[in-house]
Amino acid sequence: MILGTRASALAMTQANWVAAQLREQGESVDLVTVRTHGDISGAPLTEIGGTGVFASALRSALHRGEIDVAVHSLKDLPVAQEPGLRVAAIPTREDARDVVVTADGRELDAVAEGGTIGTGSPRRAGQLATIAKHLRIVDIRGNVDTRVSKVRRGEVDAVVLAAAGLRRLGREADISQTLELAQMLPAPGQGALAIECRDPRATTDHADAEVHEACARLDDPVTRDCVTAERAMLARLEAGCTAPVGAYAEPDGSEGYRLTGWVEMNGATARDAASGNEPHHLGETLAERLLQHLSVETQKSTLVMERES
């Protein structure tokens, strides 16, 4: 089978891991790289569309039959189902947390007042505004090497990256501080991979069914349930994958899950948590609660402005 991936070091590492798992099953796998719009453009993600910017080219290659399998970082996938395609597997998740990289190993609290911290993520920027008020947030983009090199050259004092990426690349030594979930919630699906192929229910090609069956063996049901809850929350908030939304779900008792969410809208923020047994319903329930919190905060802000005027 032909497995498609982006060409970055992290994407290749992730794709090679998936290929190795498939080869252990006796499958013959060849890798090909696909350039996406997100790789070509240097503009901020919020300007070039954000949602699906790293996935659309891989999905087009699947539709055209140029590849049989695409490996995505799940957080880059739009929440809407792509007609004719299916996420056959979501393997066991890596560390979902965010981490800080500084040149000398300092944590955020030790970075001098007025220092700069780089991120291209509105979600990270929104939460950093609370936990690192003494720092100035600057917009940066690029792969792991590019962003870490900006710290090494002194262009910024710190950057925030996903722990999963650095761990998969074997670069744990670059981590200066791990941001705990109480400090910063990750993007929905962060740390998880999505293995996508053509939907065997939408094709008469028997080979597509065999590809789907082989990939499905890599699925981890607990990880799938957790990210389903996170992405259901994201979908109900009608926010794209670059919107300021954080979410993390984990097992909570017998067959249940606890989902914690954070969102920023119209200058107001809300954070809450909920538990439940059905992941999709759990995500939608928490989204509704967050929207209620935001409505209350907006009303309070309006009253304050009216009083001041």
Side-chain angles (χ1 to χ4, degrees):
M1 63 180 73
I2 308 299
L3 188 153
T5 175
R6 294 168 58 201
S8 72
L10 177 56
M12 289 295 293
T13 297
Q14 294 173 167
N16 275 306
W17 181 87
V18 172
Q21 305 308 302
L22 291 170
R23 289 173 184 139
E24 285 186 6
Q25 299 181 27
E27 301 293 337
S28 175
V29 183
D30 291 324
L31 266 65
V32 299
T33 58
V34 177
R35 295 189 75 191
T36 72
H37 184 46
D39 297 315
I40 297 168
S41 174
L45 293 180
T46 51
E47 292 183 9
I48 59 176
T51 306
V53 72
F54 294 116
S56 58
L58 285 164
R59 285 179 155 179
S60 294
L62 276 172
H63 282 303
R64 293 193 299 266
E66 297 170 358
I67 61 175
D68 302 304
V69 181
V71 178
H72 310 277
S73 292
L74 180 60
K75 68 177 184 177
D76 293 335
L77 277 189
V79 292
Q81 177 70 37
E82 174 76 5
L85 303 182
R86 190 174 182 183
V87 176
I90 301 173
T92 303
R93 189 182 213 169
E94 244 291 1
D95 190 338
R97 295 172 296 179
D98 288 300
V99 297
V100 176
V101 176
T102 59
D104 53 7
R106 286 177 297 169
E107 296 191 355
L108 288 182
D109 287 348
V111 178
E113 180 84 24
T116 55
I117 182 165
T119 178
S121 161
R123 170 190 62 83
R124 287 173 177 150
Q127 294 178 91
L128 284 169
T130 297
I131 66 172
K133 296 180 180 179
H134 65 300
L135 300 181
R136 183 165 54 89
I137 301 167
V138 297
D139 186 76
I140 63 170
R141 271 202 61 202
N143 59 31
V144 171
D145 279 333
T146 297
R147 285 182 279 178
V148 172
S149 68
K150 289 180 181 293
V151 174
R152 304 295 183 223
R153 293 195 301 265
E155 295 179 26
V156 292
D157 294 297
V159 293
V160 181
L161 301 168
L166 289 172
R167 295 189 186 282
R168 287 185 174 122
L169 289 168
R171 299 184 59 166
E172 292 94 335
D174 287 328
I175 299 174
S176 302
Q177 178 184 3
T178 298
L179 297 173
E180 299 302 331
L181 298 173
Q183 298 172 289
M184 180 176 290
L185 286 174
Q190 184 163 306
L193 301 180
I195 303 173
E196 192 171 42
C197 58
R198 285 180 289 279
D199 190 339
R201 300 168 298 185
T203 176
T204 57
D205 190 337
H206 184 65
D208 287 338
E210 293 178 341
V211 168
H212 181 273
E213 182 180 355
C215 292
R217 297 190 191 106
L218 304 183
D219 192 62
D220 177 62
V222 173
T223 298
R224 182 179 282 270
D225 280 351
C226 288
V227 299
T228 295
E230 295 166 16
R231 287 164 63 80
M233 188 195 91
L234 181 67
R236 177 62 189 88
L237 292 171
E238 299 181 341
C241 62
T242 62
V245 173
Y248 183 73
E250 57 190 333
D252 179 34
S254 178
E255 299 182 2
Y257 297 93
R258 180 172 177 81
L259 172 64
T260 306
W262 173 91
V263 61
E264 180 180 57
M265 287 185 182
N266 302 320
T269 63
R271 178 175 172 134
D272 203 345
S275 296
N277 294 325
E278 201 290 305
H280 195 272
H281 177 70
L282 174 59
E284 291 192 330
T285 297
L286 184 57
E288 292 291 348
R289 285 169 55 169
L290 289 169
L291 289 171
Q292 290 173 6
H293 290 320
L294 288 171
S295 177
V296 170
E297 290 302 314
T298 300
Q299 290 173 12
K300 288 180 179 176
S301 178
T302 301
L303 286 172
V304 169
M305 287 189 291
E306 288 177 348
R307 287 169 183 165
E308 290 178 348
S309 61

